[in-house]
Amino acid sequence: MILSKAEILYGYNEGKIAIDPFDEERLTTNSYDLSLGRRLLKYTEEVIDPRKENAFETFDIPKEGYMMQPGEFLLAHTEEVIGSDFFVPLIHGRSGVARLGLFIHVTADLFDIGAHLRSTLQLYATLPVKLRAGMPIAQVSFWTVEGEIELYNGKYKSKEAPIPSLIYRDYDTDEA
């Protein structure tokens, strides 16, 4: 079951939902609006290999913005650190941003319960679009959990973002 605006605010005030920085004006009917952080990550490998650590570069969005080109893929992050040990956060692109031809989360929109971090966004542009640090870009909703809760203890724990893929850690290095 999804939490309403009033329940998100109640959960925040009770310390069951973490959003930092928090601005009550960014609460919507059943979500909280998130803003784009300043750092972008771009892979520099010609071919991305999930069995190895792939090279990348990070850079800050200039004051005048960053012009993202069609077909370009970048990792970005939310300005806010979010999380909960009681509810499951789910990240969604804002419809107004999607209407500009920008995918916010190519696939990974589910936050693990117990993870408290800046969300790494997977940006994919279908049209030229200017990115600006601080622009409203996504929404987070919170969902109740059925059954026993096991808190996140995975490899993506850093509050610094964006975080590149760490899937190569899942492979046995001795495999051919």
Side-chain angles (χ1 to χ4, degrees):
M1 187 176 298
I2 191 169
L3 297 188
S4 68
K5 174 182 183 175
E7 287 299 309
I8 294 170
L9 182 59
Y10 178 77
Y12 173 78
N13 288 329
E14 292 294 307
K16 292 184 173 188
I17 292 174
I19 303 172
D20 183 34
F22 179 81
D23 178 355
E24 192 171 340
E25 294 295 314
R26 297 177 84 179
L27 280 169
T28 66
T29 55
N30 54 7
S31 64
Y32 183 89
D33 287 342
L34 300 170
S35 58
L36 180 63
R38 63 180 167 70
R39 174 110 345 132
L40 298 173
L41 183 149
K42 185 174 197 169
Y43 288 107
T44 56
E45 301 275 352
E46 198 168 311
V47 176
I48 304 300
D49 183 349
R51 288 185 168 237
K52 71 177 195 106
E53 187 173 3
N54 292 281
F56 62 87
E57 63 182 12
T58 59
F59 55 96
D60 288 345
I61 298 172
K63 195 172 204 164
E64 65 275 6
Y66 174 81
M67 184 61 71
M68 195 169 175
Q69 297 301 316
E72 188 174 9
F73 177 81
L74 297 170
L75 297 179
H77 67 90
T78 59
E79 184 59 33
E80 298 79 11
V81 174
I82 58 174
S84 177
D85 293 350
F86 303 90
F87 304 103
V88 176
L90 195 63
I91 305 291
H92 318 271
R94 289 182 47 135
S95 75
V97 175
R99 293 168 200 222
L100 298 174
L102 183 62
F103 291 97
I104 302 307
H105 261 298
V106 178
T107 60
D109 57 355
L110 182 68
F111 241 64
D112 284 300
I113 193 166
H116 294 260
L117 40 85
R118 297 178 198 281
S119 180
T120 295
L121 306 172
Q122 304 117 27
L123 305 182
Y124 182 80
T126 63
L127 300 169
V129 61
K130 189 169 275 198
L131 302 177
R132 298 183 186 277
M135 69 185 271
I137 196 159
Q139 300 170 299
V140 60
S141 57
F142 296 89
W143 296 75
T144 57
V145 178
E146 295 284 327
E148 186 177 336
I149 293 175
E150 183 178 331
L151 298 180
Y152 178 73
N153 191 27
K155 59 187 168 231
Y156 297 101
K157 292 183 190 176
S158 173
K159 289 186 181 175
E160 297 304 313
I163 302 170
S165 175
L166 302 176
I167 196 168
Y168 64 91
R169 294 182 182 176
D170 296 342
Y171 287 98
D172 181 353
T173 56
D174 294 331
E175 289 180 18

